[in-house]
Amino acid sequence: MFRLLIERKNRKPQVFQLAKPTTLIGRGKDTDLLLPDISVSRHHAEIRRGAEDVHILVDLGSQNGTLVNKERIEEHTLVSGDQIQIGKFLLQFEQKPVRHVEEGRETNPVGSYNVEDERTGYLRKVSAVEGEEVHSTTQLSTEELDDLRRGVHVAENARIEVVNQPQDSWLIGKETLTFGKGGVPTSGMGLGGSVCIQWDGKSHSIVRTGGLFLSVKVNGKEIKKATSLINGDLVVVGKTAFRYRV
């Protein structure tokens, strides 16, 4: 069985079975695999099954291109494990029996998969699939796509952990993470101390919002305003040291 695996964090994996001789992928309503985002052309690419079950991925002149294992292609013979990027979507080509995927994790095999009614981890905004804007595709650079992927990775994986005690950690996500009472246990918060980590859509920033005699440092430097965090930063709030990890 040949298929594409669409796997998203905290969602059931989706399996698209490549049952047809030709599978059309794009943003248009007439596609077999519908990916309704402005980074995807209406008819973006197709997978053609040839002799001896050889599967060939062909870019159909899309604006943002089609990548296989991070390399832009016009035509590529797929092998099991290839990672395909179409706009903001990442799909994996596999040659395995469906039961192999189902061992230990639920799947939903479908013959015509689409995410028109969902927001995946890589969707920032969904393009119109009907009306005046149905034909519009926004050109995105490789850098912009990389930024989107990095942002999604940070939002889903970033955490703060106590130095030398990585088992004591807290996922941050897109919500505001507070320190002290009702939040991350922290000593030495001073009088009315208030500190939080916020998400701005691309990165996390630590902010001191109040308190007397409260020290907040990032990599040894006292902060006075919102300070962006990067992987590995040492954050000291009051008397407790944390490490920011992505």
Side-chain angles (χ1 to χ4, degrees):
M1 176 66 67
F2 296 89
R3 74 264 182 107
L4 296 174
L5 179 65
I6 304 103
E7 191 165 10
R8 291 156 293 149
K9 191 176 181 63
N10 299 324
R11 301 278 189 93
K12 292 180 180 179
Q14 296 281 341
V15 175
F16 179 86
Q17 297 177 2
L18 295 168
K20 295 183 177 181
T22 299
T23 300
L24 180 61
I25 305 171
R27 204 184 72 231
K29 281 283 193 177
D30 58 341
T31 55
D32 300 300
L33 178 53
L34 174 61
L35 303 176
D37 184 78
I38 57 173
S39 62
V40 180
S41 296
R42 290 185 68 247
H43 291 175
H44 195 106
E46 64 182 16
I47 296 177
R48 303 167 183 169
R49 186 175 71 231
E52 299 182 356
D53 280 335
V54 171
H55 285 71
I56 299 174
L57 175 65
V58 180
D59 181 81
L60 300 178
S62 63
Q63 288 194 30
N64 288 317
T66 301
L67 281 70
V68 177
N69 303 325
K70 299 184 179 180
E71 296 290 334
R72 187 161 181 162
I73 60 96
E74 294 183 2
E75 185 173 305
H76 175 83
T77 300
L78 293 167
V79 298
S80 185
D82 275 348
Q83 190 174 70
I84 303 166
Q85 180 183 329
I86 293 179
K88 299 172 191 171
F89 296 88
L90 291 177
L91 317 170
Q92 184 162 305
F93 176 76
E94 292 188 344
Q95 180 185 5
K96 295 179 182 177
V98 173
R99 65 178 180 276
H100 183 88
V101 175
E102 290 174 342
E103 290 173 1
R105 54 177 179 172
E106 288 188 274
T107 64
N108 182 20
V110 290
S112 182
Y113 173 82
N114 77 76
V115 292
E116 182 180 352
D117 59 346
E118 298 182 349
R119 294 180 66 82
T120 74
Y122 290 95
L123 276 174
R124 280 291 179 268
K125 46 189 174 181
V126 177
S127 64
V129 293
E130 294 180 339
E132 295 180 358
E133 300 300 320
V134 69
H135 295 290
S136 64
T137 300
T138 299
Q139 179 74 33
L140 297 177
S141 68
T142 301
E143 289 76 15
E144 288 173 318
L145 289 171
D146 286 343
D147 283 345
L148 286 172
R149 288 198 301 273
R150 279 193 293 269
V152 169
H153 177 75
V154 170
E156 292 184 343
N157 296 283
R159 67 189 187 280
I160 200 86
E161 61 185 36
V162 178
V163 171
N164 298 326
Q165 299 181 55
Q167 70 276 12
D168 294 333
S169 64
W170 294 262
L171 282 173
I172 304 170
K174 296 181 181 179
E175 304 299 325
T176 297
L177 182 69
T178 60
F179 292 81
K181 187 177 181 179
V184 177
T186 312
S187 62
M189 291 289 288
L191 183 62
S194 178
V195 179
C196 67
I197 294 179
Q198 300 174 337
W199 174 251
D200 65 7
K202 291 185 178 180
S203 63
H204 288 112
S205 296
I206 186 166
V207 187
R208 174 182 169 178
T209 54
L212 297 174
F213 314 114
L214 171 61
S215 173
V216 181
K217 297 180 180 180
V218 176
N219 299 325
K221 294 183 179 180
E222 188 86 21
I223 68 166
K224 302 296 183 182
K225 57 183 180 179
T227 302
S228 294
L229 298 173
I230 63 173
N231 185 38
D233 276 350
L234 176 65
V235 178
V236 180
V237 179
K239 297 180 180 178
T240 308
F242 302 90
R243 188 73 67 178
Y244 177 77
R245 298 291 191 190
V246 178

